[in-house]
Amino acid sequence: MSEKTIPLLPCQAIKPVTDFYTALGFQVTYRQTAPYAYAVVERGDIQLQFFGMKQYDPAASLSGCYVLTDGVDTLYESFRSGLKAAYGRIPRRGLPRIGPLKDMSYGMRQFLMTDPGGNSIRVGQPAGDDMSFRAAPKETFARALHMAELFADSKEDLPGAARILDRALARKDERPKPGQLVRLLLLRADIALRMYDDELAARLRARAAETDPSSPPPPE
């Protein structure tokens, strides 16, 4: 006996959602307009089903699912390429969007993407054999980075992540090491960019470059 779980996800309109997943390499295997809008998309063993709700607010959505894979890096690059071809850019904020690929403290290498219906799709694979949750570091700035990454790239609470980093960067009683400072600044800049504060993101990246000229450029 075998079982399979298929998420049923809401959206305001079906077509923008199916267009998004088509750009990612999915196929629309079922589409229904009456008595209510419904669609199914599939890519390999991944199947997602969507139902339309005209009064649904994608920006307020809390819906989502987790997709486990053994090739997260390959999927990430494939999805980014598909989105760039479809939208002319890789959308990193707003709806739809795709986030960075990261090794998380709970043993997963993952990325998050959000479709036009506001559904958060987490795609990941185990980063190693140890799947235990790493405890937050005790050192002030290592802890701030650890917690901010959880808020930003797991919970998707950007304001919460920003508050953690702002408190760390404003400390007067102790200072981060240069490497820590660069990581704090770059993560805060990335969050500012995702929150549409481009001016702040530019200032933070300039400060990171002053601290370490070899700091990476903004992601595409």
Side-chain angles (χ1 to χ4, degrees), residues 33-61:
T33 57
Y36 52 88
Y38 202 93
V40 179
V41 299
E42 297 186 59
R43 188 185 197 276
D45 291 332
I46 306 171
Q47 182 181 132
L48 304 173
Q49 300 190 12
F50 300 91
F51 58 95
M53 299 174 61
K54 290 183 179 179
Q55 304 305 316
Y56 192 75
D57 181 5
S61 174

Side-chain angles (χ1 to χ4, degrees), residues 56-192:
Y56 192 75
D57 181 5
S61 174
L62 299 176
S63 301
C65 69
Y66 205 113
V67 175
L68 291 175
T69 178
D70 59 4
V72 69
D73 289 78
T74 300
L75 274 183
Y76 185 64
E77 290 307 319
S78 176
F79 287 178
R80 280 168 53 90
S81 296
L83 291 174
K84 187 171 185 179
Y87 294 94
R89 60 185 177 84
I90 299 172
R92 299 186 60 245
R93 57 189 183 184
L95 294 176
R97 63 180 180 268
I98 187 168
L101 177 63
K102 288 188 173 183
D103 291 324
M104 304 305 295
S105 61
Y106 39 85
M108 296 298 292
R109 181 167 174 78
Q110 71 173 35
F111 64 93
L112 278 61
M113 61 182 184
T114 305
D115 66 28
N119 301 295
S120 177
I121 312 298
R122 289 158 165 76
V123 183
Q125 72 179 80
D129 295 331
D130 183 6
M131 291 294 295
S132 59
F133 188 90
R134 293 200 309 272
K138 294 184 178 179
E139 194 274 330
T140 300
F141 302 104
R143 183 182 181 86
L145 286 163
H146 174 96
M147 298 303 293
E149 286 193 332
L150 283 178
F151 271 69
D153 296 308
S154 186
K155 189 183 178 187
E156 284 196 300
D157 180 354
L158 297 180
R163 286 192 293 271
I164 292 169
L165 295 170
D166 288 342
R167 284 196 297 268
L169 289 167
R171 291 187 72 101
K172 302 297 184 184
D173 55 331
E174 55 182 319
R175 300 287 185 181
K177 297 176 182 177
Q180 287 179 319
L181 177 58
V182 169
R183 289 185 62 198
L184 289 164
L185 291 169
L186 291 179
L187 180 55
R188 184 63 181 90
D190 178 60
I191 291 167

Side-chain angles (χ1 to χ4, degrees), residues 190-201:
D190 178 60
I191 291 167
L193 192 68
R194 286 192 260 173
M195 294 176 69
Y196 294 91
D197 194 341
D198 294 3
E199 183 178 344
L200 175 59

Side-chain angles (χ1 to χ4, degrees), residues 192-218:
L193 192 68
R194 286 192 260 173
M195 294 176 69
Y196 294 91
D197 194 341
D198 294 3
E199 183 178 344
L200 175 59
R203 292 202 308 269
L204 291 164
R205 286 198 167 276
R207 184 178 169 190
E210 290 174 1
T211 305
D212 179 6
S214 66
S215 60

